[in-house]
Amino acid sequence: PFLHVRMFDEQVRWSKEEGVDYIIAETFSVFEEAKIALDVIKSHNLPAVVTFSARKNVEDGSVRTFDGVLISKACRELLENGAALVGVNCTRGPETMLEVVEEIVKVCPPERVCALPVAFRTTKEAPVFFSFTDSACPANNPVYPRGMQPFSASPVEIQQFTKRCMELGLKYLGICCGNSGELTRTMAEAMGKKQPASRYFDPSNFGTVPEKCIEEGRMKVTN
């Protein structure tokens, strides 16, 4: 723990010296480590956003940290100990992260819960992207980390995830590993935030509008 305190303190102290507004402590798989990070951030009087990597499915179907704490309970305890926001990020794609989020909002105020899935199509059979198996191309196994492209999530999946999270009451959303500009824009638009690139987008087919690009000089027509 002492080494963890020193490591976290160094990072938070440098960040505060540079004028950050808050600290994001993310991808924790051990509850006790997350608690140490929160205590250090609080000691510097900065708001803390703390998120877990929900990797471990146990036999009863619950999702826990590596030290055996239910993710939902871990989030609630961090809120009670002073975290500004709590939630989950990484390892799980939109479909399987939603299952975890729905459990967290049962015990935490949804407006204080955040969710940042990976941009990959995880399923009940492969709930985290470490567990992907490529049956279509066996030579691509092990899939993680260099064979992930066939499992990429689509803009529609990100859009559906975002809308469901908003229905649950979440306000802090993002995308973790595998993200792209298109997916970020899709999420922003689903949250009602029009981006500069939105004017080039055709919602009928998730494509660009060539005429608009040509009109603004971003594309050239050649014979």
Side-chain angles (χ1 to χ4, degrees):
F2 177 69
L3 290 177
H4 280 77
V5 171
R6 288 185 58 187
M7 177 181 69
F8 290 140
D9 184 74
E10 182 178 65
Q11 295 177 67
V12 175
R13 176 166 44 83
W14 287 350
S15 298
K16 185 174 183 178
E17 289 172 358
E18 294 302 319
V20 301
D21 297 312
Y22 64 100
I23 298 290
I24 301 172
E26 63 177 10
T27 326
F28 287 104
S29 55
V30 177
F31 178 57
E32 290 299 322
E33 185 181 33
K35 286 173 62 179
I36 293 171
L38 175 59
D39 287 342
V40 171
I41 296 168
K42 286 167 52 182
S43 73
H44 288 273
N45 297 313
L46 285 169
V49 177
V50 187
T51 57
F52 290 94
S53 171
R55 303 182 191 181
K56 189 174 183 180
N57 281 299
V58 296
E59 292 181 0
D60 63 0
S62 62
V63 181
R64 300 174 183 266
T65 62
F66 283 173
D67 45 350
V69 182
L70 285 168
I71 294 292
S72 55
K73 181 181 178 182
C75 287
R76 186 185 66 204
E77 288 197 24
L78 291 184
L79 281 182
E80 292 172 350
N81 288 333
L85 293 167
V86 294
V88 280
N89 80 290
C90 205
T91 65
R92 290 175 175 256
E95 179 182 336
T96 57
M97 180 166 283
L98 266 177
E99 299 170 2
V100 182
V101 170
E102 288 169 350
E103 290 301 311
I104 295 173
V105 298
K106 291 178 181 178
V107 296
C108 297
E111 68 275 10
R112 296 184 65 186
V113 175
C114 46
L116 299 90
V118 296
F120 297 101
R121 188 176 291 169
T122 54
T123 62
K124 289 184 178 180
E125 293 72 30
V128 298
F129 63 4
F130 301 119
S131 54
F132 283 144
T133 300
D134 194 342
S135 59
C137 181
N140 193 38
N141 293 306
V143 171
Y144 180 85
R146 297 190 61 198
M148 306 286 285
Q149 290 85 347
F151 300 89
S152 296
S154 71
V156 173
E157 290 168 282
I158 294 298
Q159 182 185 69
Q160 292 173 340
F161 171 83
T162 304
K163 289 183 176 180
R164 176 57 182 150
C165 284
M166 293 180 67
E167 289 172 358
L168 291 171
L170 275 67
K171 299 180 183 300
Y172 187 122
L173 299 173
I175 306 170
C176 202
C177 306
N179 191 17
S180 68
E182 180 181 19
L183 296 181
T184 299
R185 177 181 52 73
T186 297
M187 177 171 277
E189 289 176 344
M191 297 180 77
K193 301 177 183 296
K194 290 296 183 181
Q195 304 302 299
S198 297
R199 62 183 182 274
Y200 305 115
F201 174 65
D202 179 1
S204 66
N205 63 3
F206 274 100
T208 57
V209 185
E211 296 80 4
K212 190 71 174 178
C213 295
I214 294 170
E215 177 185 322
E216 297 191 7
R218 296 179 181 270
M219 291 176 61
K220 293 182 179 180
V221 177
T222 58
N223 296 323

